[in-house]
Amino acid sequence: MLVAAFLALVEGRVEAQDQNISDTPDRDVTRSCTDDGSIPAASAASAASAASAASAASAASAASAASPADAAVSDDGEGTALAFPHGVVLRLNRTLRASPDGPTPLPQGAIGQVSGSWRGPGSTPARGLFAALYPGTRPAPSGRTAPGSDTGV
């Protein structure tokens, strides 16, 4: 369920919700993803009429059924990686790092990401990566979303 919900958010099928006001989208949370069919649920939807739809649908079904209990978990000082057996790794950032100016770019090697804003020390507004989705079954590397950015919270 966790991966399916994250995929829906990354692909834009659902909106992030405000944490303080019921039924209100949070416009500060943004997302991006690749459009190359590498996200299991996206490839299932785009291949529905193709002969390979059965294998794509099974990947999407596996993504939808995945739970954190199915994942190989890897922790480091930056965050937690959940590597699921169906071929995706969800990297949750524990240490938030502010991106320099502009929107948070898709991290290298990632197929999807969610970023947003928060208040840092002294109520300084900041924006950066919350979580990213990577292809594969091995934990994604930790790392900063913006090389040279050292504003951690």
Side-chain angles (χ1 to χ4, degrees), residues 104-133:
T104 305
L106 190 64
Q108 183 176 358
I111 55 177
Q113 63 93 14
V114 173
S115 60
S117 59
W118 67 90
R119 296 264 174 207
S123 293
T124 305
R127 177 169 194 77
L129 183 70
F130 291 153
L133 192 67

Side-chain angles (χ1 to χ4, degrees), residues 43-131:
S43 62
S46 65
S49 63
S52 63
S55 63
S58 66
S61 175
S64 297
S67 75
D70 299 328
V73 179
S74 173
D75 282 315
D76 60 29
E78 298 288 318
T80 301
L82 302 168
F84 293 91
H86 62 276
V88 294
V89 177
L90 176 58
R91 173 98 186 146
L92 306 167
N93 290 339
R94 182 177 306 116
T95 302
L96 300 177
R97 304 221 180 260
S99 294
D101 303 321
T104 305
L106 190 64
Q108 183 176 358
I111 55 177
Q113 63 93 14
V114 173
S115 60
S117 59
W118 67 90
R119 296 264 174 207
S123 293
T124 305
R127 177 169 194 77
L129 183 70
F130 291 153

Side-chain angles (χ1 to χ4, degrees), residues 5-92:
F6 189 77
L7 287 173
L9 179 60
V10 165
E11 293 173 342
R13 293 182 282 127
V14 298
E15 293 181 306
Q17 297 296 300
D18 189 287
Q19 297 300 299
N20 299 311
I21 305 170
S22 295
D23 301 318
T24 303
D26 186 341
R27 303 287 182 217
D28 285 336
V29 175
T30 58
R31 55 97 193 155
S32 64
C33 68
T34 61
D35 288 328
D36 63 4
S38 56
I39 297 177
S43 62
S46 65
S49 63
S52 63
S55 63
S58 66
S61 175
S64 297
S67 75
D70 299 328
V73 179
S74 173
D75 282 315
D76 60 29
E78 298 288 318
T80 301
L82 302 168
F84 293 91
H86 62 276
V88 294
V89 177
L90 176 58
R91 173 98 186 146
L92 306 167

